[in-house]
């Protein structure tokens, strides 16, 4: 690879360009061979961080959706729970851009699905599984931390990610701040595919019958939805 050629020409693979590591940039570009060489032959530490952002190569791979690179890094011992300067884990960054394959790889390697983001006070996965039209990920939520990943996937209409969360054990009956279940939220935002996915779970009758703190069922919200 070009990295190997340059290293043999005397380039210091441990150096940083404007504070950013070479392994992080290779991971961000999805360069599996370059990342492997830097780790295995170049002796670069798998958890080395960029100086400006405190991101590791895993943050970069996950945030750009490069699941094969993420898998390689994890196999080499990359940590899953480290946060960058904005308190995002690699899992949160993958979720922000709805990179389901990267999310799946991280969860398979034990990334915490319910780790709470210290600024927004919601689980890391829940930060980004929403459409920007309905949720400003850069603003404090002010929701008391009760919106789990499944709720925000429902708000955003991310059916694939919602199904992944359900398969990973997410509780469809869990309620959010005002007693809303994910079904309430999917119905309110008129995400029909998400509604169908939620009704496919074993306790669908309980979900349909559930009412929020104001007495509304999912059917009530669907009738007066925001779509």
């Amino acid at each position: 690879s070009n990295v190997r050629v340059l290293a043999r020409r005397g380039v210091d693979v441990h150096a940083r360009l404007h504070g950013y590591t070479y392994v992080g940039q290779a991971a961000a570009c999805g360069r599996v061979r370059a990342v492997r060489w830097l780790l295995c032959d170049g002796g670069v530490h798998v958890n080395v961080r960029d100086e400006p952002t405190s991101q590791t190569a895993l943050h970069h791979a996950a945030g750009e959706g490069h699941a094969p690179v993420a898998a390689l890094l994890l196999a080499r011992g990359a940590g899953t729970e480290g946060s960058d300067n904005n308190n995002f884990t690699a899992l949160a960054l993958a979720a922000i851009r709805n990179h389901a394959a990267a999310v799946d790889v991280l969860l398979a390697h034990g990334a915490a699905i319910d780790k709470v983001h210290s600024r927004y006070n919601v689980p890391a996965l829940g930060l980004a599984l929403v459409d920007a039209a309905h949720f400003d990920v850069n603003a404090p939520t002010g929701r008391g931390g009760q919106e789990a990943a499944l709720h925000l996937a429902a708000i955003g209409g991310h059916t694939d990610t919602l199904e992944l969360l359900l398969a990973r054990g997410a509780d469809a009956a869990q309620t959010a701040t005002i007693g809303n279940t994910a079904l309430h939220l999917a119905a309110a935002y008129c995400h029909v595919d998400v509604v169908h996915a939620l009704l496919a779970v074993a306790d669908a009758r309980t979900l349909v019958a559930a009412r929020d703190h104001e007495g509304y069922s999912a059917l009530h919200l669907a009738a007066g939805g925001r779509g």
Side-chain angles (χ1 to χ4, degrees), residues 6 11-26 29 48-53 60:
L6 291 170
V11 174
D12 182 5
V13 297
H14 299 276
R16 289 176 167 83
L17 179 63
H18 304 302
Y20 294 92
T21 67
Y22 290 121
V23 69
Q25 295 309 295
C29 293
V48 65
R49 292 174 178 268
D50 294 333
E51 291 173 351
T53 63
H60 286 291

PDB file of all heavy atoms in Angstrom, residues 6 11-26 29 48-53 60:
ATOM      1  N   LEU A   6       5.555   4.730   1.774  1.00  0.00           N
ATOM      2  CA  LEU A   6       5.989   5.972   2.412  1.00  0.00           C
ATOM      3  C   LEU A   6       6.760   5.696   3.695  1.00  0.00           C
ATOM      4  O   LEU A   6       7.750   6.380   4.003  1.00  0.00           O
ATOM      5  CB  LEU A   6       4.776   6.860   2.685  1.00  0.00           C
ATOM      6  CG  LEU A   6       4.100   7.448   1.448  1.00  0.00           C
ATOM      7  CD1 LEU A   6       2.777   8.100   1.815  1.00  0.00           C
ATOM      8  CD2 LEU A   6       5.024   8.456   0.773  1.00  0.00           C
ATOM      9  N   VAL A  11       8.927   8.053   6.336  1.00  0.00           N
ATOM     10  CA  VAL A  11       7.807   8.775   6.961  1.00  0.00           C
ATOM     11  C   VAL A  11       7.514   8.156   8.321  1.00  0.00           C
ATOM     12  O   VAL A  11       7.411   6.932   8.452  1.00  0.00           O
ATOM     13  CB  VAL A  11       6.555   8.728   6.066  1.00  0.00           C
ATOM     14  CG1 VAL A  11       5.370   9.342   6.793  1.00  0.00           C
ATOM     15  CG2 VAL A  11       6.809   9.454   4.759  1.00  0.00           C
ATOM     16  N   ASP A  12       7.372   8.980   9.333  1.00  0.00           N
ATOM     17  CA  ASP A  12       7.086   8.509  10.690  1.00  0.00           C
ATOM     18  C   ASP A  12       5.593   8.223  10.815  1.00  0.00           C
ATOM     19  O   ASP A  12       4.774   9.146  10.836  1.00  0.00           O
ATOM     20  CB  ASP A  12       7.503   9.569  11.703  1.00  0.00           C
ATOM     21  CG  ASP A  12       7.263   9.121  13.146  1.00  0.00           C
ATOM     22  OD1 ASP A  12       6.872   7.961  13.359  1.00  0.00           O
ATOM     23  OD2 ASP A  12       7.472   9.957  14.043  1.00  0.00           O
ATOM     24  N   VAL A  13       5.227   6.940  10.894  1.00  0.00           N
ATOM     25  CA  VAL A  13       3.803   6.575  10.936  1.00  0.00           C
ATOM     26  C   VAL A  13       3.166   6.961  12.267  1.00  0.00           C
ATOM     27  O   VAL A  13       1.930   6.934  12.400  1.00  0.00           O
ATOM     28  CB  VAL A  13       3.612   5.058  10.687  1.00  0.00           C
ATOM     29  CG1 VAL A  13       4.083   4.690   9.292  1.00  0.00           C
ATOM     30  CG2 VAL A  13       4.322   4.230  11.746  1.00  0.00           C
ATOM     31  N   HIS A  14       3.997   7.310  13.257  1.00  0.00           N
ATOM     32  CA  HIS A  14       3.459   7.725  14.557  1.00  0.00           C
ATOM     33  C   HIS A  14       3.233   9.239  14.627  1.00  0.00           C
ATOM     34  O   HIS A  14       2.663   9.730  15.604  1.00  0.00           O
ATOM     35  CB  HIS A  14       4.418   7.307  15.680  1.00  0.00           C
ATOM     36  CG  HIS A  14       4.625   5.836  15.772  1.00  0.00           C
ATOM     37  ND1 HIS A  14       3.763   5.004  16.447  1.00  0.00           N
ATOM     38  CD2 HIS A  14       5.578   5.034  15.254  1.00  0.00           C
ATOM     39  CE1 HIS A  14       4.185   3.747  16.356  1.00  0.00           C
ATOM     40  NE2 HIS A  14       5.280   3.740  15.631  1.00  0.00           N
ATOM     41  N   ALA A  15       3.669   9.931  13.605  1.00  0.00           N
ATOM     42  CA  ALA A  15       3.510  11.387  13.592  1.00  0.00           C
ATOM     43  C   ALA A  15       2.049  11.752  13.355  1.00  0.00           C
ATOM     44  O   ALA A  15       1.212  10.907  13.007  1.00  0.00           O
ATOM     45  CB  ALA A  15       4.392  11.991  12.503  1.00  0.00           C
ATOM     46  N   ARG A  16       1.734  13.026  13.547  1.00  0.00           N
ATOM     47  CA  ARG A  16       0.383  13.525  13.314  1.00  0.00           C
ATOM     48  C   ARG A  16       0.426  14.657  12.288  1.00  0.00           C
ATOM     49  O   ARG A  16       1.384  15.414  12.244  1.00  0.00           O
ATOM     50  CB  ARG A  16      -0.245  14.028  14.612  1.00  0.00           C
ATOM     51  CG  ARG A  16      -0.618  12.930  15.610  1.00  0.00           C
ATOM     52  CD  ARG A  16      -1.140  13.549  16.898  1.00  0.00           C
ATOM     53  NE  ARG A  16      -1.779  12.579  17.747  1.00  0.00           N
ATOM     54  CZ  ARG A  16      -1.137  11.773  18.578  1.00  0.00           C
ATOM     55  NH1 ARG A  16       0.191  11.827  18.649  1.00  0.00           N
ATOM     56  NH2 ARG A  16      -1.806  10.915  19.337  1.00  0.00           N
ATOM     57  N   LEU A  17      -0.627  14.752  11.506  1.00  0.00           N
ATOM     58  CA  LEU A  17      -0.781  15.846  10.561  1.00  0.00           C
ATOM     59  C   LEU A  17      -1.824  16.791  11.125  1.00  0.00           C
ATOM     60  O   LEU A  17      -3.005  16.426  11.224  1.00  0.00           O
ATOM     61  CB  LEU A  17      -1.203  15.324   9.187  1.00  0.00           C
ATOM     62  CG  LEU A  17      -1.431  16.382   8.106  1.00  0.00           C
ATOM     63  CD1 LEU A  17      -0.120  17.127   7.811  1.00  0.00           C
ATOM     64  CD2 LEU A  17      -1.990  15.749   6.838  1.00  0.00           C
ATOM     65  N   HIS A  18      -1.390  17.964  11.554  1.00  0.00           N
ATOM     66  CA  HIS A  18      -2.279  18.930  12.203  1.00  0.00           C
ATOM     67  C   HIS A  18      -2.975  18.301  13.416  1.00  0.00           C
ATOM     68  O   HIS A  18      -4.130  18.637  13.730  1.00  0.00           O
ATOM     69  CB  HIS A  18      -3.318  19.475  11.224  1.00  0.00           C
ATOM     70  CG  HIS A  18      -2.729  20.103  10.009  1.00  0.00           C
ATOM     71  ND1 HIS A  18      -1.839  21.170  10.041  1.00  0.00           N
ATOM     72  CD2 HIS A  18      -2.882  19.791   8.688  1.00  0.00           C
ATOM     73  CE1 HIS A  18      -1.487  21.504   8.814  1.00  0.00           C
ATOM     74  NE2 HIS A  18      -2.092  20.673   7.971  1.00  0.00           N
ATOM     75  N   GLY A  19      -2.293  17.371  14.050  1.00  0.00           N
ATOM     76  CA  GLY A  19      -2.834  16.746  15.249  1.00  0.00           C
ATOM     77  C   GLY A  19      -3.602  15.463  15.003  1.00  0.00           C
ATOM     78  O   GLY A  19      -4.013  14.791  15.951  1.00  0.00           O
ATOM     79  N   TYR A  20      -3.795  15.112  13.739  1.00  0.00           N
ATOM     80  CA  TYR A  20      -4.571  13.921  13.400  1.00  0.00           C
ATOM     81  C   TYR A  20      -3.632  12.759  13.055  1.00  0.00           C
ATOM     82  O   TYR A  20      -2.649  12.933  12.333  1.00  0.00           O
ATOM     83  CB  TYR A  20      -5.514  14.200  12.226  1.00  0.00           C
ATOM     84  CG  TYR A  20      -6.594  15.186  12.569  1.00  0.00           C
ATOM     85  CD1 TYR A  20      -6.405  16.553  12.343  1.00  0.00           C
ATOM     86  CD2 TYR A  20      -7.792  14.769  13.146  1.00  0.00           C
ATOM     87  CE1 TYR A  20      -7.387  17.463  12.676  1.00  0.00           C
ATOM     88  CE2 TYR A  20      -8.785  15.673  13.485  1.00  0.00           C
ATOM     89  CZ  TYR A  20      -8.576  17.015  13.247  1.00  0.00           C
ATOM     90  OH  TYR A  20      -9.548  17.923  13.581  1.00  0.00           O
ATOM     91  N   THR A  21      -3.960  11.568  13.543  1.00  0.00           N
ATOM     92  CA  THR A  21      -3.111  10.402  13.320  1.00  0.00           C
ATOM     93  C   THR A  21      -3.320   9.836  11.923  1.00  0.00           C
ATOM     94  O   THR A  21      -4.402   9.978  11.329  1.00  0.00           O
ATOM     95  CB  THR A  21      -3.427   9.292  14.344  1.00  0.00           C
ATOM     96  OG1 THR A  21      -4.749   8.789  14.107  1.00  0.00           O
ATOM     97  CG2 THR A  21      -3.316   9.812  15.766  1.00  0.00           C
ATOM     98  N   TYR A  22      -2.300   9.170  11.427  1.00  0.00           N
ATOM     99  CA  TYR A  22      -2.419   8.519  10.123  1.00  0.00           C
ATOM    100  C   TYR A  22      -3.391   7.350  10.172  1.00  0.00           C
ATOM    101  O   TYR A  22      -4.161   7.134   9.236  1.00  0.00           O
ATOM    102  CB  TYR A  22      -1.043   8.036   9.642  1.00  0.00           C
ATOM    103  CG  TYR A  22      -0.103   9.159   9.265  1.00  0.00           C
ATOM    104  CD1 TYR A  22       1.119   9.309   9.907  1.00  0.00           C
ATOM    105  CD2 TYR A  22      -0.440  10.056   8.264  1.00  0.00           C
ATOM    106  CE1 TYR A  22       1.986  10.340   9.557  1.00  0.00           C
ATOM    107  CE2 TYR A  22       0.418  11.094   7.911  1.00  0.00           C
ATOM    108  CZ  TYR A  22       1.630  11.232   8.558  1.00  0.00           C
ATOM    109  OH  TYR A  22       2.481  12.257   8.213  1.00  0.00           O
ATOM    110  N   VAL A  23      -3.361   6.607  11.270  1.00  0.00           N
ATOM    111  CA  VAL A  23      -4.255   5.457  11.359  1.00  0.00           C
ATOM    112  C   VAL A  23      -5.714   5.911  11.418  1.00  0.00           C
ATOM    113  O   VAL A  23      -6.608   5.267  10.857  1.00  0.00           O
ATOM    114  CB  VAL A  23      -3.897   4.553  12.560  1.00  0.00           C
ATOM    115  CG1 VAL A  23      -4.210   5.225  13.897  1.00  0.00           C
ATOM    116  CG2 VAL A  23      -4.611   3.214  12.463  1.00  0.00           C
ATOM    117  N   GLY A  24      -5.952   7.037  12.055  1.00  0.00           N
ATOM    118  CA  GLY A  24      -7.325   7.569  12.102  1.00  0.00           C
ATOM    119  C   GLY A  24      -7.809   7.999  10.734  1.00  0.00           C
ATOM    120  O   GLY A  24      -8.959   7.738  10.359  1.00  0.00           O
ATOM    121  N   GLN A  25      -6.919   8.626   9.974  1.00  0.00           N
ATOM    122  CA  GLN A  25      -7.305   9.065   8.637  1.00  0.00           C
ATOM    123  C   GLN A  25      -7.508   7.874   7.699  1.00  0.00           C
ATOM    124  O   GLN A  25      -8.407   7.872   6.857  1.00  0.00           O
ATOM    125  CB  GLN A  25      -6.252  10.022   8.083  1.00  0.00           C
ATOM    126  CG  GLN A  25      -6.147  11.329   8.864  1.00  0.00           C
ATOM    127  CD  GLN A  25      -7.490  12.005   9.069  1.00  0.00           C
ATOM    128  OE1 GLN A  25      -8.118  12.435   8.110  1.00  0.00           O
ATOM    129  NE2 GLN A  25      -7.947  12.075  10.308  1.00  0.00           N
ATOM    130  N   ALA A  26      -6.665   6.857   7.850  1.00  0.00           N
ATOM    131  CA  ALA A  26      -6.841   5.646   7.041  1.00  0.00           C
ATOM    132  C   ALA A  26      -8.165   4.966   7.375  1.00  0.00           C
ATOM    133  O   ALA A  26      -8.874   4.491   6.482  1.00  0.00           O
ATOM    134  CB  ALA A  26      -5.672   4.691   7.278  1.00  0.00           C
ATOM    135  N   CYS A  29     -11.115   6.728   5.836  1.00  0.00           N
ATOM    136  CA  CYS A  29     -11.227   6.492   4.385  1.00  0.00           C
ATOM    137  C   CYS A  29     -11.555   5.046   4.051  1.00  0.00           C
ATOM    138  O   CYS A  29     -11.677   4.697   2.861  1.00  0.00           O
ATOM    139  CB  CYS A  29      -9.921   6.891   3.703  1.00  0.00           C
ATOM    140  SG  CYS A  29      -9.574   8.670   3.770  1.00  0.00           S
ATOM    141  N   VAL A  48      -4.732   4.987  19.823  1.00  0.00           N
ATOM    142  CA  VAL A  48      -4.139   6.316  19.761  1.00  0.00           C
ATOM    143  C   VAL A  48      -5.200   7.328  19.329  1.00  0.00           C
ATOM    144  O   VAL A  48      -6.067   7.027  18.505  1.00  0.00           O
ATOM    145  CB  VAL A  48      -2.931   6.325  18.796  1.00  0.00           C
ATOM    146  CG1 VAL A  48      -3.345   6.048  17.364  1.00  0.00           C
ATOM    147  CG2 VAL A  48      -2.172   7.636  18.917  1.00  0.00           C
ATOM    148  N   ARG A  49      -5.130   8.522  19.904  1.00  0.00           N
ATOM    149  CA  ARG A  49      -6.184   9.518  19.672  1.00  0.00           C
ATOM    150  C   ARG A  49      -5.665  10.740  18.899  1.00  0.00           C
ATOM    151  O   ARG A  49      -4.503  11.125  19.034  1.00  0.00           O
ATOM    152  CB  ARG A  49      -6.767   9.999  21.014  1.00  0.00           C
ATOM    153  CG  ARG A  49      -7.553   8.930  21.755  1.00  0.00           C
ATOM    154  CD  ARG A  49      -7.984   9.420  23.125  1.00  0.00           C
ATOM    155  NE  ARG A  49      -8.780   8.431  23.826  1.00  0.00           N
ATOM    156  CZ  ARG A  49     -10.107   8.356  23.780  1.00  0.00           C
ATOM    157  NH1 ARG A  49     -10.795   9.231  23.064  1.00  0.00           N
ATOM    158  NH2 ARG A  49     -10.751   7.408  24.446  1.00  0.00           N
ATOM    159  N   ASP A  50      -6.570  11.340  18.134  1.00  0.00           N
ATOM    160  CA  ASP A  50      -6.283  12.625  17.516  1.00  0.00           C
ATOM    161  C   ASP A  50      -6.226  13.687  18.607  1.00  0.00           C
ATOM    162  O   ASP A  50      -7.013  13.649  19.560  1.00  0.00           O
ATOM    163  CB  ASP A  50      -7.373  13.011  16.513  1.00  0.00           C
ATOM    164  CG  ASP A  50      -7.426  12.091  15.315  1.00  0.00           C
ATOM    165  OD1 ASP A  50      -6.383  11.511  14.975  1.00  0.00           O
ATOM    166  OD2 ASP A  50      -8.517  11.964  14.729  1.00  0.00           O
ATOM    167  N   GLU A  51      -5.336  14.651  18.459  1.00  0.00           N
ATOM    168  CA  GLU A  51      -5.228  15.693  19.473  1.00  0.00           C
ATOM    169  C   GLU A  51      -6.397  16.688  19.445  1.00  0.00           C
ATOM    170  O   GLU A  51      -6.905  17.074  20.496  1.00  0.00           O
ATOM    171  CB  GLU A  51      -3.889  16.420  19.317  1.00  0.00           C
ATOM    172  CG  GLU A  51      -2.702  15.541  19.689  1.00  0.00           C
ATOM    173  CD  GLU A  51      -1.369  16.200  19.384  1.00  0.00           C
ATOM    174  OE1 GLU A  51      -1.368  17.272  18.722  1.00  0.00           O
ATOM    175  OE2 GLU A  51      -0.338  15.645  19.796  1.00  0.00           O
ATOM    176  N   PRO A  52      -6.878  17.125  18.274  1.00  0.00           N
ATOM    177  CA  PRO A  52      -7.958  18.118  18.277  1.00  0.00           C
ATOM    178  C   PRO A  52      -9.301  17.576  18.786  1.00  0.00           C
ATOM    179  O   PRO A  52     -10.087  18.323  19.375  1.00  0.00           O
ATOM    180  CB  PRO A  52      -8.069  18.534  16.809  1.00  0.00           C
ATOM    181  CG  PRO A  52      -6.772  18.133  16.192  1.00  0.00           C
ATOM    182  CD  PRO A  52      -6.368  16.879  16.916  1.00  0.00           C
ATOM    183  N   THR A  53      -9.584  16.295  18.532  1.00  0.00           N
ATOM    184  CA  THR A  53     -10.922  15.758  18.810  1.00  0.00           C
ATOM    185  C   THR A  53     -10.943  14.642  19.841  1.00  0.00           C
ATOM    186  O   THR A  53     -12.018  14.274  20.318  1.00  0.00           O
ATOM    187  CB  THR A  53     -11.539  15.198  17.523  1.00  0.00           C
ATOM    188  OG1 THR A  53     -10.726  14.102  17.065  1.00  0.00           O
ATOM    189  CG2 THR A  53     -11.633  16.264  16.446  1.00  0.00           C
ATOM    190  N   HIS A  60     -13.415   7.066  13.919  1.00  0.00           N
ATOM    191  CA  HIS A  60     -13.435   7.441  12.499  1.00  0.00           C
ATOM    192  C   HIS A  60     -14.111   6.370  11.650  1.00  0.00           C
ATOM    193  O   HIS A  60     -14.953   6.677  10.798  1.00  0.00           O
ATOM    194  CB  HIS A  60     -12.009   7.664  11.996  1.00  0.00           C
ATOM    195  CG  HIS A  60     -11.389   8.926  12.482  1.00  0.00           C
ATOM    196  ND1 HIS A  60     -11.809  10.170  12.064  1.00  0.00           N
ATOM    197  CD2 HIS A  60     -10.371   9.146  13.364  1.00  0.00           C
ATOM    198  CE1 HIS A  60     -11.076  11.110  12.652  1.00  0.00           C
ATOM    199  NE2 HIS A  60     -10.199  10.511  13.446  1.00  0.00           N
TER     200      HIS A  60
END
